[in-house]
């Protein structure tokens, strides 16, 4: 089977590296310029708005998936004409999930709790929304927001007009600011037969909207919380006839789980599965698309994932040679706030994990934060 991946970033890289476990040949479609998949598989270097290029690429694949939601839908739809069943997750899923408003509508229509929000298409709708929902709140662009981009926290109504011009006058949602206890996420995988596998809920730490650390499983995780999150994923999976990995980002607040957003692809908060679970999220995504049985999602022990942001930190060889320390680099040049790699640290008890984390985390997180313009700003 020939599997095409739209996008050539780190997620494509890790999908390719999982492919030898399965009988498939992988190829990538990525815009010209730097990518993270050089030398790993054949690459078609064309833009995403080139529907002829896309069509040619898709016609050379049995199955096609994507590592990025911000692909222009009209061009992709044109390129998929007559062969739309090759894409997983489907075009309908991509269309709904790549827009925050349509995403949130799915959650509210189907009883999945989420932060109160309102849809804003023009400047005149801003003030009534803020009056209805209150401050603080967050303005978010409906499309192309990731890693905290396309967002503005509103603390006073006077901040609205500058926020509107800053975010570019595009469709937005205004959302209630949630004083959550912690952020969790659920990575799940579904195949065309409706079978689902769930990784344990993990705890995520974001700084300025960018993921820094994941702890897997989430400390103190209860069966009830896990079941609630799985219930959300099952509902969404059935509703969208979903095929592949999905990630639900959640806020835990007062014993409740609110969904913040979902991603219809493999996800940064699932990178720990590379070394900490029986089957990685990358392999399971391919398994779902190739219609081979899904792999075991059980954790092997306790894992922490630390992102390298901006640049790869200098770590001593002795530190990296520790048992249960795994470095993953994406082959990207250093740049402010860019994800350039990550470290997985595994242990067979929470105590052993925190012992290792105490040594390694300050070398990675602090170094990365020095690159940020302001640690206080944002969330
Ligand atoms: P997002 O792009 O929606 O995932 O937002 C990035 C990060 O911003 C989240 O992981 C949270 O840390 C924070 N955030 C987003 N929405 C809210 C909200 N409604 N209330 C509080 N924090 C939020």
């Amino acid at each position: 089977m020939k599997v095409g991946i739209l996008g050539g970033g780190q997620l494509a890289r890790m999908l390719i590296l999982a492919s030898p476990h399965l009988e498939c040949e992988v190829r990538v479609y990525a815009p010209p310029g730097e990518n993270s998949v050089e030398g790993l598989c054949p690459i078609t270097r064309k833009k995403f708005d080139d529907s002829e290029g896309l069509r040619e690429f898709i016609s050379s694949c049995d199955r096609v998936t994507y590592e990025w939601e911000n692909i222009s839908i009209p061009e992709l739809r044109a390129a998929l004409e007559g062969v739309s069943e090759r894409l997983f997750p489907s075009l309908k899923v991509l269309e709904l999930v790549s827009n925050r408003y349509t995403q949130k509508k799915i959650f509210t229509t189907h009883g999945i709790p989420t932060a109160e929000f309102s849809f804003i298409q023009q400047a005149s709708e801003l003030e009534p929304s803020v009056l209805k929902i209150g401050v603080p709140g967050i303005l978010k662009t409906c499309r192309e927001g990731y890693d905290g981009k396309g967002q503005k926290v509103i603390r006073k109504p006077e901040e609205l007009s500058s926020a509107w011009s800053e975010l570019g006058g595009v469709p937005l949602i205004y959302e209630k600011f949630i004083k959550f206890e912690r952020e969790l996420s659920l990575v799940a995988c579904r195949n065309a037969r409706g079978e689902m596998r769930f990784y344990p809920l993990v705890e995520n730490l974001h700084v300025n909207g960018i993921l820094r650390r994941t702890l897997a499983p989430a400390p103190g995780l209860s069966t009830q919380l896990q079941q609630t999150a799985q219930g959300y994923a099952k509902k969404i999976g059935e509703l969208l006839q979903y095929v592949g990995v999905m990630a639900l980002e959640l806020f835990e607040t007062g014993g409740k789980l609110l969904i913040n957003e979902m991603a219809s692809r493999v996800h940064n908060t699932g990178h720990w599965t590379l070394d900490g679970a029986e089957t990685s999220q990358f392999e399971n995504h391919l398994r779902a698309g190739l219609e081979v049985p899904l792999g075991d999602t059980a954790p092997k022990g306790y894992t922490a994932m630390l992102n390298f942001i901006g640049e790869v930190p200098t770590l001593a060889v002795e530190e990296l040679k520790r048992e249960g320390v795994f470095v993953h680099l994406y082959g990207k040049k250093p740049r402010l706030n860019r994800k350039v790699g990550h470290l997985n640290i595994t242990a067979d008890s929470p105590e052993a994990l925190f012992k290792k984390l105490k040594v390694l985390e300050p070398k990675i997180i602090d170094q990365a934060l020095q690159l940020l313009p302001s640690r206080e700003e944002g969330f």
Side-chain angles (χ1 to χ4, degrees), residues 7-48:
Q10 65 266 24
L11 301 179
R13 179 187 180 87
M14 291 182 268
L15 282 167
I16 297 165
L17 295 175
S19 65
H21 292 196
L22 300 154
E23 274 180 60
C24 64
E25 263 174 53
V26 181
R27 54 196 58 192
V28 155
Y29 185 99
E34 201 195 346
N35 65 62
S36 296
V37 297
E38 214 58 64
L40 295 180
C41 72
I43 307 173
T44 301
R45 293 166 214 270
K46 289 187 179 162
K47 291 187 177 164
F48 283 125

Side-chain angles (χ1 to χ4, degrees), residues 64-93:
V64 179
T65 191
Y66 45 92
E67 59 130 39
W68 200 54
E69 286 108 346
N70 296 315
I71 302 169
S72 170
I73 304 286
E75 281 81 7
L76 185 56
R77 177 176 288 115
L80 280 166
E81 212 185 301
V83 289
S84 59
E85 72 292 342
R86 289 188 193 172
L87 189 71
F88 72 98
S90 69
L91 186 66
K92 178 180 153 208
V93 168

Side-chain angles (χ1 to χ4, degrees), residues 100 104 115 137-138 140 145-149 151 175-180 183 206-210 249 251 260-261 379:
R100 281 191 197 275
K104 296 271 276 189
I138 308 191
K140 298 181 176 180
Y146 60 95
D147 287 347
K149 286 180 195 149
Q151 297 194 10
E175 192 179 281
K176 194 178 173 67
F177 192 94
I178 304 298
K179 293 189 185 78
F180 51 78
E183 291 190 75
H206 291 86
V207 179
N208 291 352
I210 303 176
E249 293 193 60
F251 298 137
N260 173 31
E261 62 173 351
F379 314 129

